[in-house]
Amino acid sequence: MFEYFEKNYAWNLTGITLIEEVGVMSQPAEAFALAAPHQDAAPEVASIAWHDAMVELGARIEGFAEADAAAGNRLTASRKFNRAAMFFIRAERITSHEDPRQMIAYKRALANYRKARENADDGVEFVSIPYENAVIPALLIKAPDIAGEPAPIVIHIQGFDSIKETQWPMFQEYRRRGLSILITDQPGAGEALRVHKLHARWDTEVYVKVIVDWIMARKDIATEAIGLQGISMGGYFAPRAAAFEKRIRAVACWGALFEMPALWARRLEGGDVAGTHPSVANPLKHAFWSFGLDNVEELKEFISHMTLAGVVEELECPLLVTHGENDRQVPLSHAEETIKRATMPDKTLKVFTKSEGGAEHCQIDNRAIAADYVSDWFAKRLRV
């Protein structure tokens, strides 16, 4: 994996995705150079430096996008609005949710992202799925009907710290294979957490059932061929949901997570996770926020439920687990144990190697190679 920063894994993680998302190296490199002197500073100092560098570039590109939009250059404006959105998203990712600058950057990201989609006219529908007293926000991208019937659809759910806006247009590979995709910010993630105050839950089948009900109620997408995929911590969320929501016809873990208690044991005692690297500046604070908890004891109780032991055995649909051989956040053993315990005949473990690319956490070093593999797998199981 390309690692610009010698001393900050979280910055490298978000930095490499930013390069992919904006499609050029020069602008991210300019922001990296501004932030680099502070990479090993105290977290609160480092996060401010990162935030300011990202916002500076985002604001500049936003201005160029507005000028193109005013001149009627809609496609050019779309690309620039999208790049601006990615800089604002990467600014808010490293910034603490307790810092008001995080929400300011996030709202600018949403505004620019929406303008990008509207100017591109690329078939992205912004949808809101009623849930409890709020909504689950999502992006719906429909594939053409097949023989007069709606195409199969894959539901995507986030992990610990991912958000939906970073995943389109990457997920266009699904539509190219005749699959619609619904990219959600489920409770505990993205807009559901930041705007609607919906916190994560370990019994993920509760909100997945609501999402499936919503799909079946829309005649333009209603289909019995429904897939479910989860990325990163979604490697627990997705198979957990599919084990109990039997309308899911195929499930994929884009990065495995077999059990949380063992993975987080040292972190909960004030240390780091053995053999792993934190993906955000302060994982404990992020967990309290995402899960809606106040202290370590509550967190221990919450994650005690987050194991696939006795759960993955209940899965009946086909299962795919992908993992990187050099994943520094979740050991490969989580993928191996998930597959070992699964009892259905159609189960696949794909380990991405350093030689082929995609060897890091959730193939962050080459997300395109994973998008190809996972969408191919779903197409073979849902388009039958």
Side-chain angles (χ1 to χ4, degrees):
M1 182 173 83
F2 171 73
E3 299 187 62
Y4 185 98
F5 305 101
E6 295 182 4
K7 303 176 181 179
N8 199 312
Y9 173 80
W11 285 15
N12 283 325
L13 192 70
T14 195
I16 195 170
T17 53
L18 176 64
I19 293 168
E20 176 193 8
E21 289 155 358
V22 303
V24 296
M25 181 67 185
S26 58
Q27 289 172 331
E30 185 177 348
F32 296 166
L34 290 172
H38 308 281
Q39 62 179 294
D40 59 347
E44 59 274 14
V45 175
S47 64
I48 291 172
W50 176 272
H51 167 277
D52 291 351
M54 294 295 134
V55 167
E56 180 176 329
L57 267 292
R60 186 191 310 169
I61 299 167
E62 180 183 46
F64 296 146
E66 294 288 5
D68 274 309
N73 304 321
R74 296 185 66 229
L75 293 178
T76 301
S78 171
R79 286 167 61 87
K80 292 177 182 175
F81 279 128
N82 195 78
R83 290 208 300 272
M86 295 305 107
F87 275 97
F88 289 126
I89 283 172
R90 296 308 167 188
E92 81 91 36
R93 175 186 171 87
I94 298 297
T95 308
S96 168
H97 69 279
E98 298 170 337
D99 187 331
R101 283 172 292 197
Q102 188 213 37
M103 184 55 72
I104 293 171
Y106 181 69
K107 288 182 177 179
R108 288 183 79 174
L110 292 187
N112 277 275
Y113 187 80
R114 185 174 284 270
K115 289 178 182 178
R117 304 281 68 80
E118 290 170 348
N119 279 279
D121 194 23
D122 54 4
V124 176
E125 180 182 349
F126 293 80
V127 301
S128 297
I129 302 169
Y131 175 79
E132 295 184 346
N133 295 319
V135 297
I136 296 173
L139 306 174
L140 172 64
I141 302 95
K142 293 187 290 185
D145 288 355
I146 301 172
E149 297 293 330
I153 190 168
V154 176
I155 303 165
H156 176 84
I157 55 179
Q158 308 300 334
F160 184 53
D161 48 32
S162 56
I163 61 177
K164 64 186 184 301
E165 287 76 19
T166 63
Q167 292 153 351
W168 180 267
M170 180 180 67
F171 284 170
Q172 63 186 309
E173 298 306 325
Y174 291 72
R175 185 166 65 182
R176 292 178 63 189
R177 288 158 173 79
L179 301 169
S180 298
I181 186 159
L182 183 70
I183 309 171
T184 71
D185 276 345
Q186 82 278 2
E191 192 177 351
L193 173 65
R194 289 157 175 79
V195 176
H196 301 288
K197 313 304 180 186
L198 293 174
H199 297 291
R201 55 190 306 156
W202 55 266
D203 51 349
T204 55
E205 65 274 12
V206 173
Y207 60 73
V208 169
K209 177 185 183 301
V210 171
I211 295 169
V212 173
D213 287 344
W214 180 86
I215 289 172
M216 298 307 296
R218 276 191 54 153
K219 296 186 183 302
D220 60 331
I221 58 172
T223 174
E224 293 185 357
I226 301 174
L228 175 66
Q229 68 180 30
I231 193 166
S232 192
M233 193 175 285
Y236 162 79
F237 295 151
R240 161 79 201 199
F244 300 105
E245 174 46 78
K246 299 300 184 182
R247 289 175 292 178
I248 299 299
R249 296 280 296 275
V251 62
C253 305
W254 192 326
L257 201 166
F258 182 76
E259 59 178 0
M260 275 283 283
L263 185 68
W264 271 55
R266 286 191 60 199
R267 184 170 286 165
L268 293 176
E269 298 303 325
D272 192 9
V273 177
T276 70
H277 293 60
S279 60
V280 291
N282 192 316
L284 279 179
K285 284 188 176 181
H286 188 89
F288 294 154
W289 178 42
S290 177
F291 300 161
L293 307 173
D294 293 322
N295 54 59
V296 169
E297 291 308 311
E298 289 182 357
L299 182 57
K300 286 181 178 179
E301 196 283 328
F302 184 95
I303 68 172
S304 70
H305 299 282
M306 292 182 63
T307 175
L308 292 178
V311 173
V312 72
E313 293 88 344
E314 299 297 321
L315 268 176
E316 299 173 2
C317 65
L319 169 68
L320 168 66
V321 179
T322 71
H323 215 79
E325 71 171 357
N326 194 48
D327 191 320
R328 287 176 272 178
Q329 294 177 228
V330 181
L332 178 59
S333 59
H334 283 248
E336 294 167 337
E337 189 67 17
T338 301
I339 286 292
K340 176 183 175 182
R341 298 242 189 169
T343 59
M344 78 291 291
D346 186 355
K347 58 180 182 178
T348 304
L349 172 61
K350 169 60 179 175
V351 179
F352 289 92
T353 64
K354 292 181 180 179
S355 64
E356 67 182 314
E360 295 290 336
H361 181 65
C362 296
Q363 292 69 66
I364 203 71
D365 53 319
N366 191 340
R367 292 191 298 173
I369 197 172
D372 282 337
Y373 188 95
V374 179
S375 57
D376 280 342
W377 183 87
F378 272 118
K380 291 174 182 176
R381 284 152 182 84
L382 297 179
R383 291 199 60 178
V384 294

